[in-house]
Every structure is written in C-alpha cells, then in structure tokens.
Amino acid sequence: MNDAFGVCHRNNASITGIPQFLPSCAGLLLEKEITILGEIMKNPEKPMVAVIGGTKVETKSKFIDNISEVADFIIISGLIAKEVAEKNIKFKHPEKMIVPAGQFDALDIDDESIKIFRKK
C-alpha cells in the first residue's frame, strides 16, 4: 500500500519495484492528496497563489506548469529560482512566477521578499 505522496514520482524499489510482483494500491492518505489536488485543478478558489519550495526543479517543472494554468501567481523558493536561471528552464506562464528578492541560494527569505510575497 502506497501512502507516500511525496515520493510517488520516484523510481524507488518500494514505489516501482515491489508493485511489479505483489498486489498494490494507493493508501487513504495518498488517495486524499490526489483527490484534493484534482479538485484544486478543476475548480480552484480564487484568488489562488501556489507556494513551491525545495530544490530539484526538474521534478517540479511539470507541476509548476500545470498549477500555473489555474493559479494567479506562483511563489517559488530561491533555490528553485536559482536552478531555473542556471538551467535556462522555461515555463508556460513566467509572468506568474514570484521569486524572493536578493540572494537565490539563501535558505530563508528576507524582509523585502516578505513584502513582495504579501502583496500577492
């Protein structure tokens, strides 16, 4: 039973290997996450601002493009913004992207970033 929404996209033995040999299914928490995301994508409450953090923009780029179809703005972490710039990644709606002010490799946001984010 898979209840690990955060790693479902990974090619780990417990996610993709074992289910090839044993019966498997989504757990209740995974099902709930998928249901909620589905509802957000079909009928989002407006205004909608998505906040996406972390790193590894390659694993998040498709989601960022999908959520940008319904979100008014997308706030991304400095680390994601840094990867986007370094790897020249293009998004469907770059005008919706809000990035932290200042240093992109910082693990936190500064007062200027807080002001920018609050406006949205």
Side-chain angles (χ1 to χ4, degrees):
M1 179 174 299
N2 183 351
D3 243 351
F5 181 81
V7 297
C8 281
H9 66 286
R10 297 202 175 130
N11 191 20
N12 295 343
S14 61
I15 303 297
T16 60
I18 292 172
Q20 292 179 37
F21 304 102
L22 296 174
S24 60
C25 65
L28 296 176
L29 292 174
L30 179 59
E31 182 181 31
K32 182 178 178 182
E33 295 256 14
I34 291 169
T35 300
I36 290 170
L37 274 175
E39 286 300 314
I40 289 170
M41 296 302 289
K42 287 181 208 164
N43 189 24
E45 289 185 32
K46 296 289 190 162
M48 179 180 165
V49 178
V51 179
I52 303 173
T55 59
K56 296 184 253 173
V57 72
E58 288 95 0
T59 63
K60 294 177 175 81
S61 62
K62 190 171 183 178
F63 174 73
I64 291 171
D65 270 340
N66 286 337
I67 200 75
S68 73
E69 295 291 328
V70 296
D72 298 299
F73 295 100
I74 301 162
I75 294 174
I76 61 172
S77 72
L79 295 174
I80 289 178
K82 180 180 176 182
E83 284 185 61
V84 166
E86 288 174 352
K87 297 175 181 174
N88 199 25
I89 295 171
K90 304 294 183 202
F91 292 107
K92 290 179 188 175
H93 299 284
E95 72 280 3
K96 293 183 176 187
M97 305 296 252
I98 310 301
V99 300
Q103 199 175 34
F104 281 164
D105 29 339
L107 294 177
D108 209 347
I109 58 174
D110 57 13
D111 290 335
E112 186 61 29
S113 298
I114 292 169
K115 288 177 191 174
I116 293 167
F117 294 169
R118 279 188 176 157
K119 284 180 185 178
K120 298 304 175 190

